């Protein structure tokens, strides 16, 4: 999946000469947390987050005294060195950048023009869809040897029990490089027969653990 598939395309922006007061009103009215700042040619020149706006906003108890601060341009408080994404970047790579750089949004730029924005909420929603957690079903985790053909063998067992697979994820098993864990979301509320079939096929089911229901 690429960023173009999940990014927000109708982006709310402000020019760099907009005032801090305008930014505050925009955040409140549009219920957003990030505002890309663009020039007359729609080139990205900066980024404002709600944290930046709050830091630059005078205390309500001294608002009259520092009211002129609200008339300062957003160019004085915006982040200018902005990390950006390309619409053809892979979602998982951008998600890692979010994690590594501890950011909460990333403008999407093509040919130096702002064309979208992706936020941590968009990435979380995408993760939920990819895992199939938003669909009825059951999760099964199987420890397997890291060898060719393993996935097809497991898929054949699930097929024999007339169940669909909503998603499959793979992650390392502890400190054993020769082993992996397959995380399967199957479209059934009672995975007992599938689990028994996997066990009979020589696979180690590590979740659900413990005694299972009778057939």
């Amino acid at each position: 999946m690429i960023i173009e598939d999940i990014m927000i395309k109708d982006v709310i922006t402000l020019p760099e000469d907009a005032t801090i007061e305008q930014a505050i009103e925009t955040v409140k009215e549009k219920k957003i947390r990030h505002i890309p700042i663009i020039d007359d040619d729609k080139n990205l020149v900066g980024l404002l987050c709600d944290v930046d706006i709050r830091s630059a906003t005078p205390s309500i108890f001294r608002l009259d005294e520092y009211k002129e601060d609200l008339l300062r341009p957003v160019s004085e408080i915006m982040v200018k060195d902005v990390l950006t994404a390309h619409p053809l970047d892979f979602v998982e790579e951008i998600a890692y950048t979010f994690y590594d750089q501890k950011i909460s949004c990333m403008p999407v730029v093509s040919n130096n023009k702002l064309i979208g924005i992706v936020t941590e909420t968009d990435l979380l929603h995408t993760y939920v869809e990819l895992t199939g957690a938003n669909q009825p079903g059951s999760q099964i985790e199987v420890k397997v040897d890291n060898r060719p053909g393993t996935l097809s063998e497991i898929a054949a067992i699930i097929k024999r029990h007339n169940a669909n697979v909503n998603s499959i994820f793979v992650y390392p098993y502890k400190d054993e490089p020769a082993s992996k864990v397959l995380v399967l979301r199957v479209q059934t509320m009672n995975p007992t027969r599938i689990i028994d079939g996997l066990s009979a096929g020589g696979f180690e089911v590590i979740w659900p653990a413990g005694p299972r229901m009778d057939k």
Side-chain angles (χ1 to χ4, degrees):
M1 182 177 289
I2 58 177
I3 287 297
E4 187 176 37
D5 295 331
I6 71 167
M7 70 182 187
I8 299 169
K9 298 178 181 178
D10 186 15
V11 187
I12 296 169
T13 63
L14 284 175
E16 53 189 327
D17 59 353
T19 65
I20 295 175
E21 185 174 33
Q22 287 177 294
I24 295 172
E25 292 173 353
T26 301
V27 167
K28 290 180 179 179
E29 179 185 349
K30 302 298 183 180
K31 296 180 172 59
I32 56 176
R33 295 174 52 203
H34 315 94
I35 307 176
I37 308 302
I38 59 175
D39 62 17
D40 293 338
D41 296 320
K42 294 188 177 180
N43 295 310
L44 180 72
V45 295
L47 179 67
L48 264 185
C49 295
D50 54 350
V51 175
D52 304 316
I53 296 173
R54 285 199 302 270
S55 298
T57 303
S59 167
I60 59 173
F61 300 108
R62 307 180 70 180
L63 191 58
D64 290 337
E65 184 178 351
Y66 294 99
K67 193 171 183 179
E68 67 276 7
D69 288 347
L70 296 177
L71 301 180
R72 291 162 52 196
V74 294
S75 59
E76 294 186 14
I77 65 170
M78 69 184 185
V79 175
K80 297 178 181 178
D81 187 15
V82 184
L83 289 174
T84 62
H86 187 273
L88 299 182
D89 286 340
F90 290 111
V91 169
E92 57 268 32
E93 294 175 351
I94 296 303
Y96 176 75
T97 302
F98 270 60
Y99 167 78
D100 185 58
Q101 298 296 321
K102 297 179 175 59
I103 57 177
S104 58
C105 83
M106 190 177 290
V108 183
V109 175
S110 179
N111 296 323
N112 297 321
K113 307 295 183 184
L114 178 73
I115 62 169
I117 191 171
V118 62
T119 70
E120 56 190 352
T121 301
D122 302 319
L123 292 176
L124 182 59
H125 177 72
T126 301
Y127 174 77
V128 170
E129 289 191 325
L130 288 175
T131 59
N134 58 335
Q135 303 177 40
S138 302
Q139 181 166 309
I140 302 173
E141 297 185 15
V142 187
K143 178 186 175 184
V144 299
D145 294 331
N146 189 14
R147 61 176 177 81
T150 301
L151 183 58
S152 63
E153 294 172 14
I154 289 178
I157 293 173
I158 296 175
K159 180 181 178 181
R160 286 201 296 270
H161 291 85
N162 299 315
N164 291 326
V165 177
N166 289 336
S167 67
I168 300 175
F169 279 79
V170 182
Y171 67 86
Y173 181 76
K174 299 180 179 178
D175 296 324
E176 299 181 19
S179 299
K180 298 285 186 181
V181 175
L182 292 184
V183 182
L184 306 139
R185 290 282 301 184
V186 292
Q187 204 169 24
T188 178
M189 300 308 294
N190 185 0
T192 301
R193 293 184 181 275
I194 297 175
I195 294 171
D196 289 340
L198 291 168
S199 298
F203 294 102
E204 181 182 351
V205 178
I206 58 178
W207 179 266
R212 293 188 295 277
M213 298 166 51
D214 294 335
K215 299 179 184 179

